[in-house]
Amino acid sequence: MKLQGRTAIEEALAAVGERLAHAQEPCTIVILGGAALNLLAIVDRPTIDVDVLAQADDTGAIRPPDPLPETLRRAIAAVARDRGLSENWMNTTVADQWRFGLPPGLAERIEWRRYGALRVGIVARRDLICFKLYASSDQPGPDSVHVRDLLALKPNAEDLEWSAAWVRAQDSSTGFHAVVAKVVAYVQDALL
């Protein structure tokens, strides 16, 4: 079952936070993707999951999320059961990005919110543009949810240039660079 927009995402995060509070085990995570876009009111659409990019400490210093704390994993599983969500509704699949590098300065741009004992960092708009452009390069075309999300972010020329430079650094192949250029051109044309 999908999380049906901003309210459903916030309710699920709050339910996790309540369970963490009951266990007296606060946790801090950083998210991106469709859930982040919903929470920032950039889109209001269903999403299948909450993508956890990082864990963080009280100072905001981030680190790879794996493994998530056992208390958090139990809270996620309980909320999945209680709300009829996939057992993977909150996952760390995107954490593979740590191997290739994050956009420079990402940690300093995170927006923080609290859901009970769950503190959630939301990757900033500029970084979301990077990740959505990267994802769009794997699934280009106007029907791609990543392209639609990228358009919803309304990147300007500077945003696209900065993000494209980061995305091109992820893969040095000429073919990949050509796809990135096509996506950038499509987005620029669509936003005119």
Side-chain angles (χ1 to χ4, degrees):
M1 182 174 163
K2 291 184 177 185
L3 293 157
Q4 298 296 322
R6 185 175 316 121
T7 300
I9 295 165
E10 288 186 324
E11 288 172 353
L13 293 173
V16 170
E18 287 173 23
R19 289 184 171 277
L20 294 172
H22 181 71
Q24 298 181 344
E25 294 282 342
C27 291
T28 303
I29 59 173
V30 177
I31 66 168
L32 53 74
L37 289 164
N38 273 282
L39 293 175
L40 293 172
I42 294 168
V43 300
D44 189 12
R45 66 164 174 81
T47 186
I48 59 170
D49 61 4
V50 174
D51 298 308
V52 179
L53 177 66
Q55 289 187 62
D57 62 25
D58 292 339
T59 69
I62 63 172
R63 64 185 183 280
D66 291 320
L68 289 174
E70 179 61 30
T71 308
L72 178 56
R73 290 196 310 266
R74 282 195 308 267
I76 292 166
V79 170
R81 182 192 65 237
D82 294 349
R83 295 178 178 268
L85 299 172
S86 160
E87 65 182 37
N88 259 6
W89 76 271
M90 187 183 291
N91 64 73
T92 60
T93 303
V94 298
D96 284 348
Q97 188 57 52
W98 282 85
R99 292 184 304 143
F100 304 105
L102 304 178
L106 177 142
E108 289 80 38
R109 292 185 293 271
I110 294 170
E111 179 181 315
W112 295 100
R113 300 195 183 168
R114 185 165 295 283
Y115 298 91
L118 179 64
R119 186 169 167 240
V120 176
I122 303 169
V123 171
R125 178 184 164 277
R126 188 164 223 192
D127 302 302
L128 287 168
I129 293 168
C130 287
F131 290 116
K132 284 299 178 176
L133 178 57
Y134 190 25
S136 295
S137 299
D138 282 341
Q139 298 175 0
D143 295 331
S144 165
V145 69
H146 301 301
V147 172
R148 289 193 310 266
D149 286 347
L150 187 55
L151 291 170
L153 285 158
K154 298 180 181 161
N156 60 34
E158 181 186 337
D159 293 330
L160 284 170
E161 182 180 327
W162 189 84
S163 299
W166 177 79
V167 172
R168 285 190 301 269
Q170 305 304 301
D171 183 335
S172 62
S173 71
T174 306
F176 180 75
H177 287 210
V179 172
V180 172
K182 285 180 184 178
V183 173
V184 168
Y186 175 80
V187 170
Q188 287 174 324
D189 289 345
L191 292 175
L192 288 179

